[in-house]
Each structure stands twice: as C-alpha cells, then as structure tokens.
Amino acid sequence: MTVTSHRPTAGDQQSDFDATIAADGRIEPRDWMPDRYRATLIRQIAQHAHSEIIGMQPEGNWLTRAPSLERKSILLAKVQDEAGHGLYLYAAAETLGMSRDEMLDLLHSGGQKYSSIFNYPTLTWADNGAIGWLVDGAAIVNQVPLCRASYGPYARAMIRICKEESFHQRQGFSILLALARGTDEQKAMAQDAVNRWWWPSLMMFGPPDGESPNSADSMAWGIKRFSNDELRQRFVDMTVPQAEILGITLPDPELRWDEESGHYAFGALDWSEFKRVLRGDGPNNAERVRRRKAAHDDGAWVREAATAYAAKQAARMEQSA
Amino acid sequence: MTVTSHRPTAGDQQSDFDATIAADGRIEPRDWMPDRYRATLIRQIAQHAHSEIIGMQPEGNWLTRAPSLERKSILLAKVQDEAGHGLYLYAAAETLGMSRDEMLDLLHSGGQKYSSIFNYPTLTWADNGAIGWLVDGAAIVNQVPLCRASYGPYARAMIRICKEESFHQRQGFSILLALARGTDEQKAMAQDAVNRWWWPSLMMFGPPDGESPNSADSMAWGIKRFSNDELRQRFVDMTVPQAEILGITLPDPELRWDEESGHYAFGALDWSEFKRVLRGDGPNNAERVRRRKAAHDDGAWVREAATAYAAKQAARMEQSA
Amino acid sequence: YSPLVDLTLRLGDDALVLSQRLMEWVASAPVLEEDVAIANIALDLLGQGRMLISYAGSIMSPPKSEDELAYLRQAREFRSSHLVEIPRGDFAQTMARQLVFSTYQSLLYAELTHSTDATIAAIAAKASKEVRYHLDHATQWVLRLGDGTDESHERMQAGLDVVWPYVDELFDADSGVEVYDGPQTDEKLRPLIDAGVCPDFGALREPCIDQLTAVIETATLTVPQTKWHARGGRRGVHTSDLDFLLAEMQSVHRAYPGATW
Amino acid sequence: YSPLVDLTLRLGDDALVLSQRLMEWVASAPVLEEDVAIANIALDLLGQGRMLISYAGSIMSPPKSEDELAYLRQAREFRSSHLVEIPRGDFAQTMARQLVFSTYQSLLYAELTHSTDATIAAIAAKASKEVRYHLDHATQWVLRLGDGTDESHERMQAGLDVVWPYVDELFDADSGVEVYDGPQTDEKLRPLIDAGVCPDFGALREPCIDQLTAVIETATLTVPQTKWHARGGRRGVHTSDLDFLLAEMQSVHRAYPGATW
C-alpha cells in the first residue's frame, strides 16, 4: 500500500492520471480523472447501454414468431443477454456518477443516443440472421479493443459482453446458413435481408476518420484504440469470406480483393441517408423511443410499489430489532 | 279520427285493450296497456336487442381471419346487420318508455339478459357456418310468428329483421356446404362445429312447455303464438333434411323420422348444462359482458364529446338567429 | 411487378389493409350507430380492395386470384402505405387516419375517373361515391371531437399527431431516399402518368393538405409539425404492424393449404 | 390421443403457451432486471415444453417432431389450460397467473418426480429446480405489489380476480360438464393414475389453494370468490385467445410449407 505523504494538488492528479494512461494502466472509479474524460465515458457507456436495450426490440419483435422451437429458444437467450449487457453497462456508467434513472430519462428525451442501426426495421425472419451476423459482427470488431479501455469498470464489462457476443454472431450466421441451404424462397429472404443490412452495418463504425472530431481525445485517453476506418476495414475483411461460405452476395458492385493492400476494397458509403436516420428521420426512430418510454412509464407504479414495500420491510425490521 | 265523448276509465281502457287483442289488432305506443304487458314487452324486446349486439362478438371475432375475401365480405355484412337489428329493437323498446342507455346499463349489470346461446365460444371457422345455419335458423323459427305480435313497433321491427335473417341462415348453410364438399380436414371441422352447436340451438326455444311459466300470459296477449315445444319441433323438422343435404350427422342417436306423428323424434335435452350456462357459469358469459362493457366505457368520452358539440352548435344557431 | 400491377396493388392493398383495421372496431365502437357506420366503411373498402386486387391478378402472368394475392403473399410483396398499417389506436386516432385517407382517396379517385385504363376508371367512378360518405363521416367526427370536450379535443389532437408523419408517403413515396434495389417508387409510375393511366401523385399533395388544414382548423385543432415521415411501403418496406396483421388475416387460409372456402 | 400422449401434451402445451405469453413482456418490462427475469422464466418453460412435446411426439404413431406438434396443430388439438392462454394483462395480472401456475407446477412436478414413467420423472426432476425459482420470483412480486402502494394493492387484487376463475380447471378439468364427444377429461387419465405415471390432479387442489391462500393473505390481499370456472382446455375447447396466439406463433412456419429452419 502506497501512503502519499502530501495532499495531492490538481497538477499531481493530472500527472498521475497521465502516467496511468501512458503505462496502459486502469483508471478506477475512486481515482481522479479529468472532467472531459468522465463526460466522454458517460456519454459512450450510456450510449452503449441504451443500444443494448433498444436493440432488444427489433429481434424481440420476432420471438413470438420464430419458425422453430430451437430458433425461438436461441433467440430468446440472445435477447435476454442483451438485457443483461444493458445491466452491466448501466452499472459501469453509474460508477462515474450518473444514475440509471438519469440515463434513461436522457434516452427518453433524446439527450443521449443509441446506435442508429436499431432504427431500421426487421422485415422478415431473415433479418434476425442478418442482425446477428452483420450487426453483432460489427459490434464485436468495435468492442474487442474496448476490453482494453483505460477505464476499469468499462473494460471489465466489455470482457463479459464480448464473450457472449461471439455466440450472438454465430447464431446469426447459423440462421442465414439454414436459409441459404433452404428453399428458393428462403434463399431470397436471406439475400434480401443482407441487401438491407450491409451498408448500415458498415456505417456502425462511424464517420470516416477525417470527419470524426472526438476520436483524437478518445485515442489519447486509451478509450479508443483504432480509427473508425481501420475497424471498418477489419470488419469487411472478416465478413467477405463468410459471405462466400453462405453463398450470399454482398450488395456492393465495387467490392473486390485488392492484392496490393492485402485488403478488400469496397464502394463509397452514402452518408446522406445515415445522417437523415441519425437526425431522427429514420423508419423506426420514433417507434423505438415511444415503445421504450411506454414500458418505462407503464412500469412506474411497479417501481413505486417495490420502493414502498422495501421501506415498509425496513421499518418492520427496525421495529422488531 | 275517433273522438271519445267521455274521459276513459281504467275499466274502459282494459276492455279496449282486450278487444284489440281479441281482434288480432295492433297496440301502438300511445295506446293504454296493462303494466305487466308493458313490462313483459320491455323485457323481451330488450333481451332480443341485447342478443343482437352480444351476438356480434362470436362471429365478429372471425372477421379478421375469414379464409376468403368473399366470405369475409359476407360475414361483415351479416355482423353489420346484427348491429342494425339492435338499433331497430332498441328503438322499439324505447317506445315503451325505457331509454337505450337504461337498457344498456341493465345489460352490463346483469339486470337484463341476452340469449344464452352467445355464451358458447366460436372455436373454428366452421362455427360461423353452424351459427348461421342452426342459431339463425332457430331464431327465424322463433321470430317469424313475432311479425304478428300484438305490439305494433315490435311487429314492424321483426318484419324487417326476418327478411335479413333468412340471408343469414343461407350464408351459414353455404359456409358449411363449402366445408362439407372440401378436404377431409374441412369436413371434420364442419362436423365438429355442428356437434357443439346442435343441442344449444334446440335449447334456444326455451324450457319444455310444462316448465315455462310466463308463456301463458304472452300467448294470451298475442305476443307469443306458438309454444316452445311446437317451435322446437318445427325447427327440427326443417333442419334434419338440410343436414342430409350437407352430409353432416346431427349428434343425436335417437333422431329418427316418426311416421305416425309426421315429425322427427329426437332425444331428451340436457337442461342441467343449459341452466349452468344461464346461471353465469358458461364458457364465455363473463368475457362477453366484459367486452361489451369495455366498449361502452371506453366510448364514454366520445359520446360526451358528441353531446357537448351538439350543444355548442345549438347555441351558435340560436345566437346567429 | 409491372407498373400497372404495382399501381393497382398500391390502391388495392391500401383499401384491403385499412378495411382489416376497421373491422377490429366491430362490436367495440363507442355507440351502436358507429358499429354500423364503421362496418359499412370497412365493407366499401373491402369491396374496392377486391376489385383492384382482382384486376391486378388478372393482368399478372400467370394470372392470380384475389385470394391468392390476399392470403398467399408475404408482407414484402404488399404495396400498402404505412398509414393504413399502423394500429387503430383510440376512436380519435381512427378518425384522424380516416380523414387523411378519405381526403387522399377522394382526390385520387376523382382523377382516376378519367383514367385511360377503362377498368380503373370504372372502379374509381363507383368508389368515388362511397368515399364521399367516408369523408363526410370522418369530417363530422373530427369536428365533434375537436370542438367537443377538453378530453376529446386533446385526444383528437393526439390522434392527428400520430398519423401526420404518415401523410407524405401517400404523395412522394421515397423522395430523398437512396434505394438499393431498384428505382425510387415514385419513378416507377412515370410511364403510367405519361399514358394518362394515373395522375402524378405528388401533385395531389397540396390540395390534400389544404383540405385537411381547413377541417383541422375548423375543428379548433392544430396542423401537426413533424420531423420525420414514413417511407418504403410502396416498395415493400413496411411497418412491423403489417406483418402481424397479415399473420392474423392469413392464419386460417394458410392452415389448410389448397382448400377452397 | 392415447392417455400418455394426452398427459404429456397437457403438461407441454401449458409450458409452451405460457412461455409464449411471457415473451410478450420482453423489452416491455417495468425494470430491466425484470426483462432478464421474465425472459429467463420463459426460457425455462420453453425448455420444459420442448422436452414434453418431443416426448409426446416420440410415442405417437407415426412419430412427430416437436416442430410439427408446435407449428402444425390446430387450436382444437392443443391440450393447454385456459389459465395460460388468456392475455398477459398488466404486470400484476402476469404475476398473479405466474403465482398460480408455478404453485401448481411445483406440486405437480414434485409428484411426477416419482412417476413410473422414467422420461417424465427425469423431466420433472430437472424442471422442479427451475420452478422453485419461478415460484419464489412470483411470490416476491405478489408480496411487493400487494403490500406496496394503494395502486399496486388494487392492481394486484384485480389481477388475482381475473385469474382466479381459471384455477379450478387445473385440477378437475370438466367436472359437472356433460361432454358429447367422449369421456370427461379427468377420466381420461385414470389408467395413468392407476399405473403411477401421474398423480390424481384433483388431489393437488387443496394443497395448492392452501399455499396460494397463505401468500395472498400475507400480501394483505383477499382470496377471490368466483361464480364460474373455466373448463374444456384439456379436450381442445379453448379460449379464443389461444387461436390468436397460435396464428401469430405459427405464421412464419406455415407461410413456408416444408421449409427447414
């Protein structure tokens, strides 16, 4: 145990923090940290938590209609995991001083965001496959480096989450594989889903490096480890061979292996649509938040009852003590 | 126009009423009538009106699922007729001095009844056929004599209703005929529905003559023209040959042609179940009334708005006049 | 789908799906007169839907029956707008949707009466009379509810707020959207517009909004502002509500493959 | 169905249908912890349902797969009780149903652990552990809501009032009903009871009501009175809710006949 011999000054605190970051060490909840580091982390972890719970909706929507009991069971386990991930992440964000209720209020009011990918609709059963394969696939590429994020609670939450995400990605691939080996209608359903989800998945990595203003800080603080474009390329390189196994065509005529760079080259992304959806003019933005808020509001009386009961029980304990 | 030269006494009124009934004439709303005649009519017409609107539920339940667009269209027209019949009948009952709102309140509180037949569930599409064929068939046999009922507004409402009921019965027969000529599964579905609806239909005519205490008055007053057992027999005689055309077996091993009486003989009815259902312990009693009451309660704000708007409009008219 | 099939399915699917939504009110309306009225509107729309879908089926190759098209298509193959798909909501929301849809239909069918396609012209002529009654019915209710009690005013405004983002799709289906799987849906009808089969839907927007605005303001209500609008129905990208609606509608038919009814 | 198939379908269909109802809560629960808990209970019940329905299918001739039985039976062929079929209602009603069902299941599976049918005994042993958690979870919520706020007390009582008429069916399915199409359903299991495959369900009624009464009274609530009770599920006479639930559940499977997933 280190006993500090003098009261630390702001300058000391900053240099301790910088030293920890430089040594690739972990910042823990009771450690001093710069306000902007804290604010950036709260924003990022809350957005991640919100994405998990909003992300339950597009697939949750198909639970009652899953076409086999085994698929139903696997999808239910997956959606349950998402709720669990939400719990880990809210807990991690709470260590930075914002309560889950505050974060939910910000989600409902639009003050905090969730991943824009969940504003697209799930039109057919095959969409559950495409989400698992592409969206969870992209999430893993984004998240694996976060297991080494400089903030301890976040890194530890991500380690637990990443373990489960790879099962999610495999179940998505498995849904598509069954369809790709199925009837002509099933094959068409799988291709249609991939056509719709491919480009939005690529956009999950965020704007091109030149247009990503917050990235530099996050890199410097050891929250982010790779640039948006690097991660996007990694995802494409990982996914193209899997598409070949599935026998599904990715909807990009410019996609090709580039011998020189050792990577797949792909077409330009249409950011105008991404920005429109981000702005709130997406097919499901309003519906997703409405439904989330309705669940929260409809459940207010339940939470109040639980609080009242706990208080009564505590009073009874005290009386009998 | 007859001008009476003296103020009529109660005795005169009773004898005028008796004379009208004896001559098979019509009692009209402004005519004097005995209190018990009025009360009997209100009870009967209200029960009939309630039956029409509760009767929308078992078939209405299948509108969204009708298996062809033509059947859907015909069933919707039928259910719409039932609402229309309810309107005629409430209007007829209102001429006796009870408002529709009062009657609906009595329906919701259990103070007035509806036909117990609508407490059975509609389990398959074929039930819509069985209801049309058997339940509407029984209703017609009951209702045709009511077109000559002594109370004018009731008789006139029944004339309009009877015209439409025969279309209802034919559409039910037509549903069953298509099933009876269909696949084995469809045939089984039709037979199953008839098995479940046959006995309850026979019970629609009410208890056996010996146990029907109110019948004598209704007969004397020219409201009822035939006894329960006479009407039941007429229904059986009419229905058995139709069942033969359908190739459907009526679920009564004792059913046979009786040469001597010139009628079909049939097995004894199990009144214990009928009475249980009548008492409120039927499969759908609670649900039918709950749903009716929910529609009424949920619609209260709409009715209030319509009243408020009408009052505002009237006030505006007055101001501008 | 060929442009003509696409057009008739857009019209027919709108009518069929809305009719299905209206049927959900039967035996649940606030007054018995409305059970009759709503069933009546649903019947008219179902009739229109059947004529239009039958016509679409007759010009497909191989031809398809109305029931094949209604019961055996997947949601992705429907061409309905999101407006008719969303749940019915309360009575105010149902009337808000009906006001929008009947205003749109009345303007559209007035144009289609002059279609160079004789079948479409005949269907539109018949339907125009029905739509006049639907529009009148919805207008009366929007006035009553908007200018009724405080509660009804609030509910009527809320109903309009819910349906308003679905208005634009009726007129410029996919404008502003990059579509990966073919031309924008408003472009698809271009040859039919040029041939006088149907009007340019976009041109109906202004008169429609004007008519709606007049009713809404007379009803002491406010025309909603909205920052997003629905799109995609005309190319088979639907609300998830449609899939649930079809699951119910098609359930009996699909459970007995090959049966006739 | 043979008596053994009938028995396993009663158990399996109850689990499958209730699991389906619970899934409707996912992403709609009052707190995130309940999204996890309810999904967990639904998963357990789905697992139980799959084992039981697979077993039923394996002893049918010809044998049927779990998916054939889940997706290709009509409602009339299901053997579920009305309790599991009715809509979920609010959170209090869901917990009221869960308390009743888990109490019933815990007593039943405790008996079935000693079944002379080894498969049923093994399934019951595994399920018993899961049910203990379900029962504890529902009990905790009934206590919290019953003894929480005025509103939660009222809702919890209302929830119990709704589910109570469905309790008796679990124990003496058709007692007092003349059944036209075969023996009364409680008679159907007689040979299995005599052979020690399953207990006499009627005998479980009293301990179940006793346990429920204890929880309800501790929660400061009242055991409801009821003048009717549900019957018929065990012979295929169901609520109309089941048919809608199956229409949704079977929709994708039925839309692609012959496909594997």
Side-chain angles (χ1 to χ4, degrees):
Chain A
M1 189 179 179
T2 311
V3 179
T4 48
S5 59
H6 63 99
R7 222 183 147 72
T9 66
D12 288 337
Q13 290 172 323
Q14 178 75 50
S15 56
D16 284 356
F17 173 85
D18 291 342
T20 307
I21 297 287
D24 231 355
R26 288 274 160 86
I27 307 295
E28 293 299 333
R30 283 189 243 184
D31 294 340
W32 182 90
M33 62 190 88
D35 289 347
R36 284 183 45 238
Y37 176 84
R38 184 185 299 272
T40 299
L41 274 171
I42 289 180
R43 194 187 63 234
Q44 177 167 338
I45 304 176
Q47 171 161 344
H48 193 163
H50 298 330
S51 300
E52 293 284 354
I53 65 167
I54 295 284
M56 296 166 73
Q57 290 185 32
E59 290 160 298
N61 199 29
W62 286 90
L63 285 174
T64 56
R65 295 175 289 167
S68 81
L69 294 186
E70 188 176 5
R71 292 281 173 213
K72 188 189 286 279
S73 179
I74 294 171
L75 189 65
L76 180 53
K78 184 192 168 186
V79 175
Q80 188 193 17
D81 278 352
E82 287 163 0
H85 295 178
L87 284 176
Y88 304 159
L89 288 161
Y90 284 122
E94 285 188 314
T95 63
L96 291 157
M98 184 177 278
S99 73
R100 196 205 300 181
D101 277 350
E102 285 175 274
M103 290 183 265
L104 287 175
D105 286 345
L106 285 166
L107 168 63
H108 301 153
S109 69
Q112 287 179 345
K113 301 214 171 302
Y114 57 89
S115 175
S116 198
I117 192 81
F118 297 118
N119 288 325
Y120 293 89
T122 38
L123 298 181
T124 69
W125 168 251
D127 287 41
N128 297 293
I131 289 181
W133 179 45
L134 298 175
V135 176
D136 291 316
I140 291 172
V141 170
N142 258 330
Q143 290 169 6
V144 165
L146 291 173
C147 297
R148 296 189 290 123
S150 59
Y151 187 60
Y154 189 30
R156 288 189 290 274
M158 291 315 305
I159 291 169
R160 295 175 71 180
I161 290 172
C162 282
K163 275 188 201 151
E164 294 175 346
E165 289 287 351
S166 70
F167 144 69
H168 295 177
Q169 204 239 356
R170 278 202 310 277
Q171 72 90 33
F173 186 82
S174 159
I175 287 174
L176 290 179
L177 193 60
L179 296 175
R181 291 178 177 171
T183 66
D184 287 349
E185 274 182 306
Q186 286 177 302
K187 278 179 203 150
M189 189 198 276
Q191 182 65 58
D192 171 56
V194 170
N195 287 349
R196 285 180 287 104
W197 288 94
W198 171 250
W199 291 105
S201 303
L202 291 188
M203 293 181 197
M204 285 175 69
F205 297 94
D209 293 347
E211 300 168 27
S212 185
N214 298 321
S215 286
D217 276 346
S218 288
M219 293 279 232
W221 284 329
I223 301 174
K224 214 173 152 75
R225 303 274 172 178
F226 301 95
S227 80
N228 295 351
D229 286 334
E230 282 171 328
L231 293 169
R232 190 167 10 243
Q233 184 67 55
R234 187 178 297 183
F235 173 68
V236 172
D237 290 346
M238 179 183 96
T239 307
V240 175
Q242 294 172 357
E244 282 163 11
I245 296 172
L246 289 172
I248 282 177
T249 308
L250 296 171
D252 177 0
E254 296 177 43
L255 190 68
R256 60 176 178 80
W257 175 250
D258 182 54
E259 197 66 58
E260 201 176 323
S261 65
H263 291 292
Y264 285 93
F266 53 96
L269 278 64
D270 172 27
W271 291 103
S272 64
E273 197 212 344
F274 178 78
K275 283 176 189 151
R276 181 174 66 72
V277 173
L278 200 67
R279 231 178 24 241
D281 189 13
N284 287 79
N285 303 44
E287 172 60 14
R288 297 281 186 247
V289 176
R290 189 201 61 71
R291 170 130 184 241
R292 175 83 268 290
K293 198 168 164 339
H296 192 74
D297 294 347
D298 292 351
W301 69 272
V302 176
R303 296 190 300 276
E304 283 158 21
T307 308
Y309 179 79
K312 283 185 198 179
Q313 288 296 91
R316 280 171 200 147
M317 291 278 209
E318 211 161 282
Q319 257 185 346
S320 68
Chain B
M1 190 181 177
T2 311
V3 180
T4 47
S5 59
H6 64 99
R7 227 185 144 70
T9 66
D12 288 338
Q13 290 172 323
Q14 179 74 52
S15 57
D16 284 358
F17 175 84
D18 291 344
T20 307
I21 297 287
D24 231 354
R26 288 273 160 85
I27 307 295
E28 293 298 334
R30 284 189 244 182
D31 294 340
W32 182 91
M33 62 190 86
D35 289 346
R36 283 183 45 237
Y37 176 83
R38 184 185 301 272
T40 299
L41 274 169
I42 289 179
R43 194 186 61 234
Q44 178 167 337
I45 303 176
Q47 171 161 346
H48 192 161
H50 297 330
S51 301
E52 294 284 356
I53 66 168
I54 295 285
M56 296 165 73
Q57 289 185 33
E59 290 161 297
N61 200 29
W62 286 89
L63 284 174
T64 56
R65 294 175 290 166
S68 81
L69 295 185
E70 187 176 6
R71 292 281 173 214
K72 186 189 286 278
S73 178
I74 295 171
L75 189 65
L76 180 53
K78 184 193 167 184
V79 175
Q80 188 193 18
D81 278 352
E82 286 162 1
H85 296 178
L87 284 176
Y88 304 160
L89 288 161
Y90 283 121
E94 285 189 313
T95 63
L96 292 157
M98 184 178 275
S99 73
R100 197 206 296 181
D101 277 350
E102 285 175 274
M103 289 183 267
L104 287 175
D105 286 344
L106 285 165
L107 168 62
H108 301 154
S109 68
Q112 288 180 345
K113 301 212 170 303
Y114 57 90
S115 176
S116 197
I117 193 81
F118 298 117
N119 288 326
Y120 293 89
T122 39
L123 298 181
T124 70
W125 167 251
D127 288 41
N128 298 291
I131 289 181
W133 180 44
L134 298 175
V135 175
D136 291 315
I140 292 171
V141 170
N142 257 331
Q143 290 169 5
V144 165
L146 291 173
C147 297
R148 296 189 292 120
S150 59
Y151 186 61
Y154 189 30
R156 288 189 290 274
M158 290 314 306
I159 290 169
R160 294 174 71 180
I161 289 171
C162 282
K163 275 187 200 150
E164 294 174 347
E165 288 288 351
S166 69
F167 144 66
H168 295 178
Q169 203 240 356
R170 277 202 310 277
Q171 71 92 31
F173 185 82
S174 160
I175 287 174
L176 290 179
L177 192 61
L179 296 175
R181 290 178 178 169
T183 66
D184 287 349
E185 274 182 307
Q186 286 178 301
K187 279 178 201 151
M189 189 199 277
Q191 182 64 57
D192 172 55
V194 170
N195 287 349
R196 285 179 286 105
W197 288 94
W198 171 249
W199 292 105
S201 303
L202 292 188
M203 293 182 197
M204 284 176 68
F205 297 93
D209 292 349
E211 299 168 28
S212 185
N214 299 321
S215 286
D217 276 346
S218 289
M219 292 281 232
W221 284 329
I223 301 173
K224 214 173 152 79
R225 302 277 172 178
F226 301 96
S227 80
N228 294 352
D229 286 335
E230 282 171 329
L231 292 170
R232 188 164 15 241
Q233 184 66 57
R234 187 178 294 182
F235 173 68
V236 172
D237 291 346
M238 182 184 96
T239 307
V240 175
Q242 294 172 355
E244 282 163 11
I245 296 171
L246 289 172
I248 282 177
T249 308
L250 296 171
D252 178 0
E254 297 176 42
L255 189 69
R256 61 178 175 78
W257 175 251
D258 183 53
E259 197 66 56
E260 201 176 324
S261 66
H263 291 292
Y264 284 94
F266 54 94
L269 278 64
D270 172 27
W271 291 102
S272 65
E273 197 212 344
F274 178 78
K275 284 175 190 154
R276 182 173 66 72
V277 174
L278 201 65
R279 232 180 19 243
D281 188 11
N284 286 80
N285 303 44
E287 172 60 14
R288 296 283 186 245
V289 175
R290 188 201 62 70
R291 171 133 183 236
R292 175 85 265 294
K293 198 166 164 339
H296 192 74
D297 294 347
D298 291 350
W301 69 272
V302 176
R303 296 190 300 276
E304 281 158 23
T307 308
Y309 179 78
K312 282 185 196 176
Q313 288 297 89
R316 280 169 199 150
M317 291 277 209
E318 212 161 280
Q319 260 185 343
S320 67
Chain C
Y1 300 135
S2 75
L4 187 56
V5 169
D6 208 281
L7 171 71
T8 42
L9 286 180
R10 290 182 194 195
L11 305 176
D13 287 345
D14 271 358
L16 175 63
V17 171
L18 184 53
S19 146
Q20 187 79 2
R21 279 283 180 237
L22 288 171
M23 271 172 226
E24 296 170 1
W25 274 104
V26 171
S28 296
V31 283
L32 197 45
E33 284 80 356
E34 285 305 304
D35 279 305
V36 177
I38 293 178
N40 195 37
I41 298 170
L43 256 178
D44 286 345
L45 289 171
L46 178 55
Q48 295 170 18
R50 292 180 63 193
M51 288 188 290
L52 288 159
I53 291 170
S54 295
Y55 181 47
S58 74
I59 53 179
M60 291 171 93
S61 70
K64 296 202 171 185
S65 72
E66 60 173 10
D67 283 344
E68 284 176 274
L69 288 173
Y71 291 98
L72 298 174
R73 269 186 301 162
Q74 312 286 348
R76 293 283 279 140
E77 300 169 280
F78 274 71
R79 289 294 172 263
S80 44
S81 61
H82 291 200
L83 176 71
V84 299
E85 298 170 7
I86 57 171
R88 65 179 168 99
D90 68 1
F91 189 72
Q93 190 177 320
T94 291
M95 287 302 130
R97 164 160 62 191
Q98 199 62 46
L99 180 72
V100 168
F101 188 73
S102 298
T103 304
Y104 158 74
Q105 262 202 335
S106 73
L107 291 162
L108 177 61
Y109 283 171
E111 296 287 329
L112 289 176
T113 310
H114 313 298
S115 173
T116 52
D117 181 301
T119 308
I120 289 181
I123 296 172
K126 180 177 184 312
S128 283
K129 289 176 205 131
E130 297 165 352
V131 171
R132 210 169 302 142
Y133 162 73
H134 306 175
L135 179 56
D136 184 57
H137 176 263
T139 303
Q140 291 305 319
W141 273 112
V142 171
L143 292 176
R144 278 190 204 112
L145 298 179
D147 194 15
T149 64
D150 288 350
E151 181 182 3
S152 72
H153 180 88
E154 206 172 288
R155 283 178 181 255
M156 193 64 237
Q157 186 66 53
L160 285 170
D161 291 349
V162 169
V163 305
W164 207 255
Y166 298 94
V167 174
D168 271 1
E169 190 193 10
L170 301 171
F171 303 106
D172 57 349
D174 287 325
S175 115
V177 179
E178 189 69 26
V179 181
Y180 294 107
D181 49 355
Q184 294 201 352
T185 51
D186 23 3
E187 282 315 298
K188 185 144 192 184
L189 302 185
R190 184 56 51 194
L192 300 179
I193 298 169
D194 293 341
V197 173
C198 71
D200 181 345
F201 282 65
L204 301 175
R205 187 177 179 280
E206 202 180 304
C208 185
I209 299 287
D210 287 349
Q211 280 197 31
L212 290 171
T213 301
V215 175
I216 290 169
E217 290 181 350
T218 308
T220 73
L221 297 160
T222 310
V223 177
Q225 302 276 336
T226 174
K227 69 171 186 170
W228 70 280
H229 77 82
R231 33 170 88 74
R234 306 311 193 187
R235 59 185 146 91
V237 175
H238 294 283
T239 61
S240 68
D241 304 310
L242 179 67
D243 212 63
F244 286 103
L245 179 144
L246 294 180
E248 186 175 317
M249 183 174 102
Q250 299 178 338
S251 59
V252 178
H253 191 96
R254 286 202 190 267
Y256 298 88
T260 49
W261 301 94
Chain D
Y1 300 135
S2 76
L4 187 57
V5 170
D6 208 282
L7 171 71
T8 42
L9 286 179
R10 289 182 195 196
L11 305 177
D13 288 346
D14 272 356
L16 175 63
V17 171
L18 184 54
S19 144
Q20 187 79 3
R21 280 284 180 236
L22 287 171
M23 272 171 226
E24 295 170 1
W25 275 104
V26 171
S28 297
V31 282
L32 197 46
E33 285 79 357
E34 285 305 302
D35 279 305
V36 177
I38 292 178
N40 196 38
I41 298 170
L43 256 178
D44 286 345
L45 288 172
L46 178 56
Q48 295 170 18
R50 291 180 64 193
M51 287 188 289
L52 289 159
I53 291 171
S54 295
Y55 181 46
S58 74
I59 53 179
M60 291 171 91
S61 69
K64 295 202 171 188
S65 72
E66 60 173 9
D67 284 345
E68 284 176 275
L69 289 172
Y71 291 97
L72 298 175
R73 269 185 301 162
Q74 312 287 349
R76 293 283 280 138
E77 300 168 277
F78 274 72
R79 289 294 172 262
S80 44
S81 62
H82 291 199
L83 177 71
V84 298
E85 299 170 6
I86 57 171
R88 64 179 168 99
D90 68 2
F91 190 72
Q93 189 177 321
T94 290
M95 287 303 131
R97 163 160 62 192
Q98 200 61 46
L99 180 72
V100 169
F101 188 74
S102 299
T103 305
Y104 157 75
Q105 263 202 335
S106 73
L107 290 162
L108 176 62
Y109 283 173
E111 295 286 330
L112 289 176
T113 310
H114 312 298
S115 174
T116 52
D117 181 301
T119 308
I120 290 180
I123 296 172
K126 178 176 185 314
S128 284
K129 287 175 207 133
E130 297 166 350
V131 172
R132 210 169 303 144
Y133 163 73
H134 306 174
L135 179 55
D136 184 56
H137 176 263
T139 303
Q140 291 306 319
W141 273 110
V142 171
L143 293 176
R144 278 189 205 111
L145 298 178
D147 195 17
T149 63
D150 287 350
E151 181 181 4
S152 72
H153 179 88
E154 206 172 287
R155 283 179 182 256
M156 194 63 238
Q157 185 66 52
L160 285 170
D161 291 349
V162 169
V163 305
W164 207 254
Y166 299 92
V167 173
D168 272 0
E169 189 192 12
L170 301 171
F171 303 107
D172 59 348
D174 287 327
S175 111
V177 179
E178 188 69 26
V179 181
Y180 294 107
D181 48 355
Q184 295 201 350
T185 50
D186 22 3
E187 282 314 298
K188 186 146 192 186
L189 301 187
R190 185 55 53 193
L192 300 180
I193 298 170
D194 293 343
V197 174
C198 72
D200 182 345
F201 283 63
L204 301 175
R205 187 175 180 282
E206 205 181 301
C208 184
I209 300 286
D210 287 349
Q211 281 196 29
L212 290 171
T213 302
V215 175
I216 290 169
E217 291 182 350
T218 308
T220 73
L221 297 159
T222 310
V223 177
Q225 301 276 335
T226 174
K227 69 171 187 172
W228 68 282
H229 77 81
R231 32 169 90 70
R234 305 311 192 187
R235 61 187 143 88
V237 176
H238 294 283
T239 60
S240 68
D241 305 310
L242 179 66
D243 212 61
F244 287 102
L245 179 144
L246 294 180
E248 186 175 317
M249 183 176 102
Q250 299 177 338
S251 59
V252 178
H253 190 96
R254 286 199 189 270
Y256 298 87
T260 50
W261 302 93

